[in-house]
Structures are given as C-alpha cells and as structure tokens.
C-alpha cells in the first residue's frame, strides 16, 4: 500500500507503516526529525496529493481551528478579524486534504471551534487507549476507514510531571512537541488500517 502522511515531520506514523512493509512517506514543509530523510518529502503536501496514494493520513496545523485557541478569536469580547481570516485559510487547507482524490483518508486534529463549521469528526482517541498514560483528546475524520480500536488501556497519571511527558513540557518547542503523534496510536493506525481492504 502507498501511504502519504501529510504534515508530519516526526515520521512516527510513516515509520509505523514502514515497519510492517508498506511504502509510506512523510511530507512536511520542515525537515524530518524521524531519522529517515529517504522517506520524507520536504514540500507542501498539496503538491503531492495526486501521486496515486492508497491512503492519506493528514495532520494539518490546528493553531487557528482548535477550540483550545477560541479565546484568541474574541479578545475583549470582540471578534479578532485577522485571526478569523487565518482560521478560514486553515479550514480551506483542511478541506483540501479531506477532499483529496485518495480512496482512504484520515484527517487528525483537536476538537475544532464551532465557528469554522468543519464536518463532524468520526471518532476521538486518547493516548491512554494505546499504551501512553496521558490524556490528549484527538479527533479523527475518517473516509473509507474503520474507527481505530483501542489496543492497550493504561491508567492515566494526573500529574504532568511524569517521566517521558515530552508533549507537555514548556519552552519554544512545546507546540512542535505537542503536535507529534504518540507511537502507540501510530502503530494502531498501521496495524489496523494497513490491512484494511
């Protein structure tokens, strides 16, 4: 199966599909940090959508669409027009990925702000359903794919100071760290969707 993992510099999902024999490539405007530049396309993912993919898994930026950032839309109870315009652009990018000419598609993002009227997501997943003791609700929009089935329920730590809690640490890398896919979720995608016909 030819798999395109768009907006992914970490290569977590790409490597999971490669591990079980699929021809997977990550694509991002950034260089890859996953250790396999030979499987990475440094490009705008929209430029490679028509290269005959069987499955597209996309992680578009959520900065302007996420419900978590909605407070920035209404500072002082007044609509921030510039941020709203950026949200409309982000929605167009999201929809371009969702409407790509690829048979099987997954678009991943946090819960979106209702003002942008995205389609209803298919399901939400949590890291603790796939072996990681953290909460981070992630929505999946699925086309011609089954919902992900939990693979390894674990207890959730209430502390953000757990060893290995890389995605919650502060600093200038926080946003980049929080955008990385958990390896357990990536493995579930590969194992469950890589064999789905």
């Amino acid at each position: 199966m030819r798999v395109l993992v768009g907006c992914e510099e970490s290569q977590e999902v790409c490597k999971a599909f490669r591990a079980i024999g699929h021809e997977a490539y990550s694509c991002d405007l950034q260089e890859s940090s996953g250790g396999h530049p030979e499987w990475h396309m440094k490009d705008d993912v929209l430029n490679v959508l028509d290269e005959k993919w069987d499955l597209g898994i996309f992680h578009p930026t959520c900065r302007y669409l996420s419900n978590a950032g909605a407070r920035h839309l209404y500072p002082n109870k007044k609509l921030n027009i510039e941020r709203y315009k950026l949200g409309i652009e982000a929605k167009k990018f999201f929809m371009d990925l969702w409407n790509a000419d690829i048979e099987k598609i997954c678009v991943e993002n946090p819960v979106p702000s209702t003002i942008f009227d995205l389609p209803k997501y298919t399901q939400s997943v949590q890291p603790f359903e796939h072996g990681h003791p953290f909460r981070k609700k992630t929505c999946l929009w699925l086309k011609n794919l089954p919902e992900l089935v939990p693979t390894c329920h674990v207890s959730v730590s209430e502390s953000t100071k757990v060893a290995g809690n890389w995605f919650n640490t502060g600093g200038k890398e926080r946003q980049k760290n929080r955008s990385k896919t958990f390896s357990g979720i990536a493995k579930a995608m590969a194992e469950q969707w890589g064999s789905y016909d």
Side-chain angles (χ1 to χ4, degrees):
M1 180 184 290
R2 294 194 77 233
V3 182
L4 173 63
V5 189
C7 314
E8 184 194 50
E9 60 79 29
S10 72
Q11 295 191 296
E12 209 56 56
V13 176
C14 173
K15 290 188 293 186
F17 275 89
R18 284 275 178 171
I20 58 173
H22 294 285
E23 184 186 353
Y25 297 92
S26 55
C27 180
D28 199 280
L29 294 172
Q30 305 176 61
E31 297 287 350
S32 70
S33 65
H36 289 280
E38 70 276 18
W39 302 337
H40 185 71
M41 296 177 282
K42 186 180 177 187
D43 200 349
D44 182 332
V45 68
L46 297 181
N47 294 334
V48 300
L49 290 179
D50 61 353
E51 295 185 14
K52 301 202 182 303
W53 305 101
D54 300 303
L55 168 60
I57 300 174
F58 304 112
H59 308 273
T61 183
C62 62
R63 170 180 273 174
Y64 302 111
L65 294 176
S66 169
N67 196 44
R71 69 183 185 277
H72 300 296
L73 270 173
Y74 292 96
N76 304 315
K77 300 182 180 180
K78 184 177 178 184
L79 181 65
N80 179 335
I81 298 298
E82 289 307 311
R83 189 168 181 99
Y84 178 73
K85 287 178 182 176
L86 291 169
I88 294 298
E89 289 175 22
K91 177 184 178 178
K92 181 184 182 309
F93 182 62
F94 182 105
M95 295 307 298
D96 286 345
L97 297 173
W98 179 242
N99 292 317
D101 187 18
I102 299 173
E103 182 185 0
K104 300 169 188 170
I105 291 176
C106 167
V107 182
E108 171 273 335
N109 241 227
V111 176
S113 178
T114 57
I115 193 171
F116 297 113
D117 196 30
L118 287 178
K120 175 69 177 163
Y121 55 87
T122 310
Q123 75 171 125
S124 64
V125 296
Q126 290 275 6
F128 64 78
E129 297 172 327
H130 298 278
H132 305 276
F134 309 115
R135 296 182 197 280
K136 183 175 181 265
K137 183 176 179 178
T138 302
C139 302
L140 304 179
W141 285 256
L142 304 176
K143 186 179 291 184
N144 297 320
L145 289 169
E147 293 188 12
L148 274 189
V149 176
T151 54
C152 179
H153 273 277
V154 295
S155 297
V156 180
S157 170
E158 297 305 321
S159 171
T160 58
K161 297 180 180 178
V162 177
N165 191 1
W166 48 264
F167 79 95
N168 244 347
T169 56
K172 63 182 181 180
E173 295 295 307
R174 184 174 192 273
Q175 182 179 351
K176 185 175 181 178
N177 286 339
R178 284 186 61 80
S179 71
K180 294 180 189 297
T181 302
F182 284 87
S183 60
I185 294 175
K187 184 178 180 188
M189 289 176 171
E191 291 179 350
Q192 294 178 37
W193 296 341
S195 61
Y196 181 71
D197 192 0

